[in-house]
Amino acid sequence: MRRVITSASLLVLLSVSIGFGQNWTETKIGVWTKVINKDGQTLGYSPASGVKLLTVDALAFKDLNKNAKLDPYEDWRLPIATRAKDLASKLSVEQIAGLMLYSKHQPIPAPAGGPFAGTYGGKVFAQSGANVADLSDQQREFLTKDNLRHVLVTSVQSPEAAAQWNNNAQALVESLGLGIPINSSSDPRHSTRADAEYNAGAGGSISMWPGSLGLAATFNPDLVKRFGQIAATEYRALGIATALSPQVDLATDPRWNRVSGTFGEDPQLATDMARAYIDGFQTSVGAKEITGGWGYNSVNAMVKHWPGGGSGEGGRDAHYGYGKYAVYPGKNFESHFRPFTEGAFKLSGKTGTASAVMPYYTISFNQDKKYGENVGNSYNKYIIGDLLRGKYHYDGVVCTDWLITADETAVDVFLTGKSWGVEKLSVPERHYKVLLAGADQFGGNNDAGPVIEAYKMGVKEKGEAAMRARFEQSAVRLLKNIFQVGLFENPYLEPETSRSVVGKPEFMQAGYQTQLQSVVLLKNKAKALPLTKGKTVYIPKRFTPAGRNFLGMETPEKLEYPVNLAIVKKYFTVTDNPDEADYALVFIQSPNSGGGYNSDDAKSGGTGYVPVSLQYGDYTAQGTRNPSIGGGDPLEKFTNRTYNGKTAKTINGTDLGMVNDTYAKMKGKPVIVSLQVSNPTVVGEFEKQSNAILAHFGVLDQALLDILTGASEPSALLPMQFPADMKTVEAQSEDVPRDMKSYIDSEGNVYDFGYGLNWKGVIQDARTAKYKKAALSMK
């Protein structure tokens, strides 16, 4: 029987079956071949890998281990759990150790310098003659030598390049061992580029959406689910099958520098958003579904950070040694579990639960009620083994945050080891302790050596059988996540399809509409908004002083317009003379005083600890906690981390000066302030100098202008409180939501959780009735 030939535009590989016939067709696409089973799964394989097809019951299967027989793990008709257990039993210790690795960040192509540098044939990319989709020397090494199969992809040059890189990488690993495909992942990549222009008929490099706080500000879980569905579709077109998201930590301390990545401080809102986000990412439907909601449009969600990382003492962050301690003065530890236990682990969709969990770096100080250890969460057997695995019955993958097993070199460096509480252990001992706690995978580790050493420690202590069983337990969890998204059947992509899917107009439009629904109108004195199009506006330039980014790299000072003037000029006439202007538009950002540590203070003999300020003017802490709750680091000679009497200086204090200066220059004419919010902000410093205030969480300039001119009505609500002043910030407990006195503006409006205005006034609708009532019931 002659096989049907499909897709005349492609290079076709013609096959003729002999005898009983074959119920499948085969088509060559670039480096790989697509096999369509008429009554089963579509397969993809690379002939160059040495993999051949097996025909069983007239259906095609891939002979991944090249033994000329159909093994259970190769049989796509069997349950995923059966296949995963079969494959885990066949793997060597070295191969399982490779599965337990999660790569360092991988830009494609690799840059010539910096922390993520790479080479091609020993040369930097620009000098190598390599293609943008080629694998770097480092990638080839960790895929072959270390058996690594989980890759964290960062920047890509284009969707086509991402697809081609994916195909090259998958073809390589398909040729190795038992043919385990790569499970690539990504941190969130759908944020906006503010100065871009949205065109309803045009696509883009990827659809653009508001940040997590902006999604939360919609108070609309259905929108967040839709985002997850679209983002998952784009991820899969890029070769990404795991999302290192959502970040569902409760932002109970307003000073934390990761507030912007959360769904806010309210347990109920964060829980609903977490559930919707993961349902959107993980659920496949129709022809894309394989089984149980999983399939070819599914992206594994790695929900983070268990058991909640939003209560760092003083608002400091645990990426740094100075922020390693999460504290619970309000005795509110278990409330931080809710977005996990009631959201991520209780989905509405068929996949049921988030497929992976990432613990945070923090030491959850004095919360280990069984073993009494103050160690990083991934090392803590009580927090992982007894609570997550035991009490809450979570049996998915647990992956550490990045670099927790490496050595600490400085308390104030981002890219250093974060082995909090276990600094005295060796690197292999740290790996072993993580495994004993109940975790499965090591984030940011490319080297299998320490994992293999940890295995040997376990054999010596517990015996070969027990340690082999422990390794296979993690292997099964890790393999399930690769099987359930269909990668064992077809990990390959069609670059032209990727180009047409990623950032297609329908997705861009959905993202833009959600941006519009994420902007909060805080103030609208005398109905200053909406503005009349065509009028003349004054926009002051914004000064950014020289500094360093979170990686420690120097950034130059800038004085520039904070918005794209070409877009503004489609709405208004722009002038540099305030006397000519009808309105002033001032664009500022939340105060940034750094992370609560001053290296210069430490070098000059101080402790280095200073306040984290949410106001623009200098802030000196008086009567604050002394001594600190948490403290102690091998690189410090003291344990009291108080900052009482210390002063914080805000990096962007000139934003306040810009508002005040503009207010004076406008001589009573309307001043409209647009505040990009990364943290709750003490707006009392400038509120009275403004006629209207918009708060947003990362949107296009164009979206702001559509709201300013009334093309769209504001509808978003604050997903967190804005404090009255720094005194109430200092008085609140790091672990308790909504425990601040909120700011009351000159119009009498309270900037509390769930507050927002539309053109008619304060919004009161089904959303506020539901979530503000739930918030009150928690108090």
Side-chain angles (χ1 to χ4, degrees):
M1 154 176 153
R2 193 169 57 206
R3 195 176 310 161
V4 177
I5 304 301
T6 61
S7 190
S9 62
L10 298 170
L11 177 62
V12 175
L13 181 66
L14 183 62
S15 268
V16 178
S17 64
I18 299 174
F20 298 105
Q22 296 169 166
N23 205 12
W24 46 273
T25 59
E26 192 170 23
T27 305
K28 192 176 189 316
I29 304 173
V31 301
W32 66 283
T33 298
K34 178 189 283 189
V35 179
I36 299 176
N37 280 294
K38 183 178 179 183
D39 298 314
Q41 298 300 319
T42 295
L43 312 181
Y45 76 102
S46 170
S49 71
V51 167
K52 292 181 170 56
L53 295 180
L54 300 169
T55 301
V56 178
D57 299 331
L59 298 170
F61 301 85
K62 294 195 291 185
D63 184 15
L64 290 168
N65 62 359
K66 308 174 187 69
N67 67 352
K69 69 175 185 178
L70 183 63
D71 293 282
Y73 87 92
E74 298 165 334
D75 189 345
W76 43 259
R77 299 169 300 183
L78 295 177
I80 286 169
T82 301
R83 299 176 70 188
K85 289 176 183 177
D86 175 65
L87 179 51
S89 71
K90 291 175 165 62
L91 296 176
S92 67
V93 168
E94 290 76 15
Q95 288 168 327
I96 296 177
L99 270 182
M100 290 178 168
L101 302 177
Y102 222 123
S103 84
K104 297 175 183 177
H105 299 65
Q106 300 296 312
I108 300 170
F116 311 125
T119 56
Y120 298 80
K123 299 178 180 179
V124 299
F125 177 75
Q127 299 170 2
S128 68
N131 186 283
V132 293
D134 288 345
L135 275 64
S136 70
D137 299 333
Q138 292 73 22
Q139 290 163 356
R140 289 185 177 278
E141 180 176 6
F142 64 60
L143 292 173
T144 55
K145 174 177 168 285
D146 295 287
N147 297 296
L148 185 148
R149 292 296 179 270
H150 293 80
V151 180
L152 173 53
V153 175
T154 55
S155 60
V156 295
Q157 194 172 92
S158 68
E160 298 101 311
Q164 290 162 355
W165 181 90
N166 170 81
N167 292 349
N168 291 336
Q170 298 292 6
L172 172 63
V173 298
E174 190 174 78
S175 71
L176 305 172
L178 286 87
I180 300 173
I182 290 169
N183 181 357
S184 291
S185 70
S186 174
D187 284 308
R189 58 194 312 124
H190 281 83
S191 59
T192 58
R193 187 166 60 82
D195 61 349
E197 183 171 7
Y198 170 69
N199 180 329
S205 57
I206 197 166
S207 62
M208 291 185 284
W209 299 71
S212 294
L213 272 182
L215 292 174
T218 69
F219 279 60
N220 187 340
D222 290 338
L223 270 183
V224 175
K225 181 179 178 181
R226 179 60 180 149
F227 161 71
Q229 293 167 336
I230 290 173
T233 301
E234 293 182 309
Y235 272 28
R236 292 306 300 266
L238 293 169
I240 294 166
T242 292
L244 301 186
S245 59
Q247 183 189 337
V248 303
D249 312 79
L250 295 182
T252 49
D253 192 285
R255 299 164 290 189
W256 188 33
N257 67 14
R258 300 196 70 178
V259 166
S260 62
T262 73
F263 292 127
E265 66 180 315
D266 181 70
Q268 186 61 55
L269 181 63
T271 295
D272 290 349
M273 292 301 185
R275 184 186 304 112
Y277 186 108
I278 298 167
D279 270 332
F281 265 90
Q282 291 192 168
T283 306
S284 290
V285 297
K288 292 285 188 179
E289 183 179 4
I290 298 172
T291 183
W294 290 104
Y296 296 105
N297 207 61
S298 298
V299 171
N300 293 291
M302 186 179 290
V303 62
K304 57 191 187 183
H305 305 87
W306 176 264
S311 62
E313 186 164 21
R316 299 185 293 270
D317 179 61
H319 275 92
Y320 305 89
Y322 62 69
K324 64 170 67 172
Y325 295 100
V327 295
Y328 301 88
K331 298 180 171 52
N332 203 45
F333 183 51
E334 292 196 358
S335 286
H336 290 256
F337 304 173
R338 283 186 58 191
F340 297 90
T341 59
E342 298 178 26
F345 302 163
K346 291 183 180 178
L347 302 179
S348 299
K350 290 200 276 185
T351 63
T353 187
S355 65
V357 171
M358 183 188 293
Y360 204 39
Y361 296 115
T362 44
I363 294 171
S364 296
F365 193 70
N366 286 348
Q367 299 308 306
D368 183 343
K369 306 304 183 186
K370 188 172 183 180
Y371 311 103
E373 283 197 299
N374 277 315
V375 294
N377 291 314
S378 290
Y379 293 105
N380 194 298
K381 188 176 180 180
Y382 174 73
I383 287 172
I384 304 301
D386 291 77
L387 287 179
L388 182 60
R389 297 291 194 200
K391 182 176 180 180
Y392 296 110
H393 309 293
Y394 184 75
D395 194 38
V397 168
V398 175
C399 176
T400 76
D401 215 326
W402 265 231
L403 295 178
I404 76 157
T405 58
D407 292 328
E408 179 187 20
T409 58
V411 297
D412 60 344
V413 173
F414 184 86
L415 288 175
T416 187
K418 308 169 201 306
S419 49
W420 309 146
V422 296
E423 293 92 345
K424 294 182 180 179
L425 297 182
S426 68
V427 172
E429 286 171 338
R430 292 171 194 159
H431 284 75
Y432 185 44
K433 188 171 179 64
V434 167
L435 292 172
L436 292 181
D440 305 294
Q441 199 168 27
F442 303 94
N445 292 18
N446 292 6
D447 181 6
V451 187
I452 296 169
E453 289 301 311
Y455 180 85
K456 293 175 181 177
M457 291 176 185
V459 170
K460 187 174 181 180
E461 181 179 347
K462 300 177 181 297
E464 183 85 41
M467 202 57 196
R468 174 72 200 192
R470 175 66 190 86
F471 257 44
E472 285 194 28
Q473 181 185 45
S474 286
V476 169
R477 291 170 179 151
L478 291 159
L479 289 168
K480 281 182 178 178
N481 287 4
I482 305 177
F483 276 112
Q484 65 199 11
V485 294
L487 290 174
F488 272 90
E489 277 55 75
N490 184 19
Y492 295 95
L493 299 170
E494 299 179 39
E496 278 299 309
T497 301
S498 296
R499 184 190 61 79
S500 66
V501 166
V502 179
K504 71 179 183 179
E506 172 192 341
F507 296 168
M508 299 296 288
Q509 182 179 21
Y512 188 72
Q513 291 301 316
T514 303
Q515 290 179 51
L516 293 172
Q517 294 178 66
S518 74
V519 178
V520 183
L521 179 59
L522 295 177
K523 181 180 180 181
N524 195 19
K525 183 179 180 181
K527 299 198 181 298
L529 299 181
L531 305 177
T532 302
K533 287 185 75 171
K535 293 283 190 176
T536 301
V537 298
Y538 167 67
I539 301 174
K541 290 183 177 179
R542 184 172 183 267
F543 176 72
T544 305
R548 293 182 181 274
N549 65 17
F550 71 98
L551 292 175
M553 300 168 69
E554 292 187 358
T555 56
E557 73 172 44
K558 294 183 292 186
L559 178 64
E560 59 188 6
Y561 286 108
V563 289
N564 185 335
L565 286 189
I567 294 176
V568 175
K569 288 176 181 178
K570 295 184 177 183
Y571 294 79
F572 300 107
T573 298
V574 179
T575 180
D576 288 329
N577 183 357
D579 291 335
E580 297 176 351
D582 298 300
Y583 324 114
L585 306 180
V586 186
F587 297 86
I588 63 175
Q589 298 178 8
S590 292
N592 178 4
S593 69
Y597 189 85
N598 186 315
S599 300
D600 291 335
D601 177 73
K603 290 173 183 175
S604 62
T607 64
Y609 290 89
V610 294
V612 179
S613 178
L614 300 180
Q615 67 181 41
Y616 294 98
D618 291 355
Y619 166 67
T620 301
Q622 298 292 341
T624 52
R625 186 181 294 145
N626 189 11
S628 61
I629 294 174
D633 188 278
L635 301 180
E636 294 179 338
K637 298 179 180 179
F638 54 88
T639 58
N640 185 3
R641 294 179 161 191
T642 184
Y643 50 79
N644 191 39
K646 296 283 196 71
T647 298
K649 292 183 177 293
T650 303
I651 296 167
N652 60 326
T654 50
D655 279 8
L656 176 61
M658 186 165 62
V659 177
N660 290 334
D661 182 59
T662 302
Y663 177 76
K665 289 179 177 178
M666 289 299 289
K667 302 172 184 175
K669 291 182 288 186
V671 175
I672 315 301
V673 175
S674 172
L675 170 66
Q676 182 169 346
V677 178
S678 55
N679 292 83
T681 298
V682 178
V683 296
E685 293 174 296
F686 66 86
E687 178 264 318
K688 291 182 177 63
Q689 285 72 46
S690 60
N691 297 79
I693 304 173
L694 286 177
H696 72 96
F697 309 93
V699 300
L700 295 173
D701 296 341
Q702 189 172 347
L704 296 176
L705 291 161
D706 275 348
I707 289 178
L708 288 170
T709 57
S712 181
E713 184 172 13
S715 61
L717 308 167
L718 283 179
M720 56 200 180
Q721 295 178 309
F722 271 30
D725 49 39
M726 280 304 298
K727 183 177 180 180
T728 190
V729 172
E730 294 286 7
Q732 58 92 39
S733 295
E734 286 94 335
D735 59 320
V736 179
R738 304 175 314 276
D739 60 342
M740 294 189 296
K741 178 184 176 183
S742 298
Y743 181 74
I744 303 175
D745 72 8
S746 56
E747 304 295 291
N749 291 320
V750 183
Y751 292 10
D752 202 350
F753 169 77
Y755 164 74
L757 299 171
N758 57 23
W759 301 144
K760 295 177 183 177
V762 176
I763 297 171
Q764 295 183 359
D765 57 16
R767 299 171 302 160
T768 59
K770 176 181 178 179
Y771 288 105
K772 295 187 81 168
K773 181 179 179 181
L776 288 171
S777 69
M778 287 289 294
K779 289 191 175 182

